[in-house]
Each structure stands twice: as C-alpha cells, then as structure tokens.
Amino acid sequence: MSENCTHNCDSCSQNCSERDLKKAPHELSKIKKVIGIVSGKGGVGKSLTTAMLAVTAARNGFKTAIMDADITGPSIPKMFGITDKATGSEMGIFPVLSKKGIEIMSMNLLLENDTEPVIWRGPVIAGAVLQFWTDVIWNDVDYMFVDMPPGTGDVPLSIYQSIPLDGIVVVTTPQELVSMIVKKAVNMAEKMNIPVLGIVENMSYVKCPDCGKEIDIFGKSRAKQLAAEHKVKCVARVPFDPALTKCADQGLIELFEGDYLDEMFKAIE
C-alpha cells in the first residue's frame, strides 16, 4: 500500500493487499448471510445440495434465496418447478418466488427457451453473475445460497473476489478422483480467506430396501478424511435416494423428506 493511499480503490490502479474488490448489492436489497456451494467438478450434486440447504433453511423459519451462478448449466428452476420468467422495472430485476416463498434468480429465468445454450466466454459469464448480485432486488433475505459454477477458474474466482461470501459448503462424492479435484476447490477457498463451513458427500451410499444395510457403491466414504485434512468440523452424507431424485425431477424439491442436511444447516447457522 502506498504511503499516499487515500483508501479509495475506485480511483486507484495499484494492486495491493488493501484493495477491496467486493461489490455492493442492489441498494434495495437486504441480505444478511451469503453461503457458496462449491465443487471441484461438475456432476457431483452441487445444485441439489444448494436446493436442499435452501429448503432446510426455509423450513427452519428463515427467509431464503438462491442465486444460480452456474450460468451455463442452470438447473435450480427445474428442481423447484418454476416456469415463470423473471421480470423487472427501471429499479432492477425481481427474483421469482418458489411455491414456498424462496427467492430464486437463474439464467433459465431469463431465457425464452430453457434448452437454449449459453455460449459465452468467461468474462461475459462472470459479468452476468455479478449482475445477479448488483441488479436483482433481493428482499429481506436471511440466507442466500449461491450455486457456484464448478472448478477453480475464471468465474469462481470472480465470484470470490466480487461477492462477500460468509462461507462455503463443499460438495464431493466418495470416488478418490473426485476427492482429489475437490481438494483444489477447498484450497482455493482457503487462499481466498473464505471459511469452509462443511463438506457434503453426495451419492455416498445406497440403503438396501430389504435389510437396511448401507452399500458403498462408489467405495468407502472419504468425507471425514477430507474434513480432517482441512480442519472442517461438519460432514454430511447424502445417499442415493429415489424419492429425493423424483422430487427434483418433478419440480417438487420443496417436498423432499429426509434430514440429510439438518446438521449441516445448524453448522451454517
């Protein structure tokens, strides 16, 4: 930091440790806590975890929101059965409410056709995510869950730098290959000084419908080992659950039964 620093980063070109790149939300928004849901790779159940945590928070009486920052692979509206499109005015963009009152903003709420691909380069995608934060009018939100894009590249970096995340939840699966990649996401968060609040191991096991025995389809659970390595206290294991999958596919995720993430939300709370 220069000895002549005015502490006004907007008019400064220096890249110093004091520089704060965080963006303010819309002036009419009220957001208390922002939690990122991250993974090292796609296909591990990050969006499902985001939806389940939001529903769990709402069931505990909190006003909840989801920012679907996975611009090229948005799946949150489908899980909540939302077909309405986002609207706006000269003041800003309004999120769409789920059946139970969860505020949601996703790229699929802006596209005319849900299957239309978003063929954009990284900086444009990052800009769209930032607009979800700065241009959307979020009401009195206790917990906002951000469904992050997978990996450790351009867009996740922009989110870490621009949006004031209070912490992250990391989603993984039992496979050793996935665990190795997830460690990259955890290490990235640590380098960005964002606390890891918990680890969710999705597809952790399947329970035999006859005898109730837990079968480790993808091998022995690695979640506790991963948590110990990074001094993370809370671990949750989510099994293959046909009823949960059916709720997500039918747009009824708010009706899912199960306490898989109850302890995880308590840790967040």
Side-chain angles (χ1 to χ4, degrees), residues 174 201-219 237-242 260:
E201 185 176 74
N202 191 35
M203 297 179 275
S204 187
Y205 59 91
V206 64
K207 184 172 288 189
C208 175
D210 296 323
C211 66
K213 179 181 178 181
E214 294 183 2
I215 304 170
D216 299 328
I217 295 180
F218 289 141
R237 299 177 66 201
V238 179
F240 282 97
D241 186 341
Y260 307 125

Side-chain angles (χ1 to χ4, degrees), residues 109-121:
L109 301 180
L110 301 174
L111 298 176
E112 185 175 342
N113 187 345
D114 289 350
T115 59
E116 182 181 342
V118 178
I119 309 174
W120 294 348
R121 295 192 182 275

Side-chain angles (χ1 to χ4, degrees), residues 46-59 64-68 74-84 96-106 108-109 114 143 145-147 244-256:
K46 176 174 49 58
S47 297
L48 179 62
T49 301
T50 302
M52 291 173 66
L53 279 173
V55 171
T56 301
R59 288 176 179 176
T64 310
I66 297 177
M67 180 196 294
D68 189 355
S75 54
I76 292 296
K78 170 68 174 176
M79 292 187 194
F80 285 86
I82 295 176
T83 56
D84 295 336
V96 177
L97 288 179
S98 72
K99 298 178 182 68
K100 299 290 185 178
I102 296 175
E103 295 186 6
I104 294 174
M105 177 51 64
S106 171
N108 263 12
L109 301 180
D114 289 350
Y143 289 97
F145 295 94
V146 182
D147 186 2
L244 177 59
T245 303
K246 185 176 181 180
C247 283
D249 285 344
Q250 294 184 347
L252 300 173
I253 193 64
E254 289 171 296
L255 301 182
F256 88 89

Side-chain angles (χ1 to χ4, degrees), residues 19 27 29 76 133 141 179 181-182 191 203:
R19 189 173 183 84
E27 61 181 358
S29 293
I76 292 296
W133 175 252
V141 174
S179 297
I181 297 173
V182 164
K191 289 181 182 294
M203 297 179 275

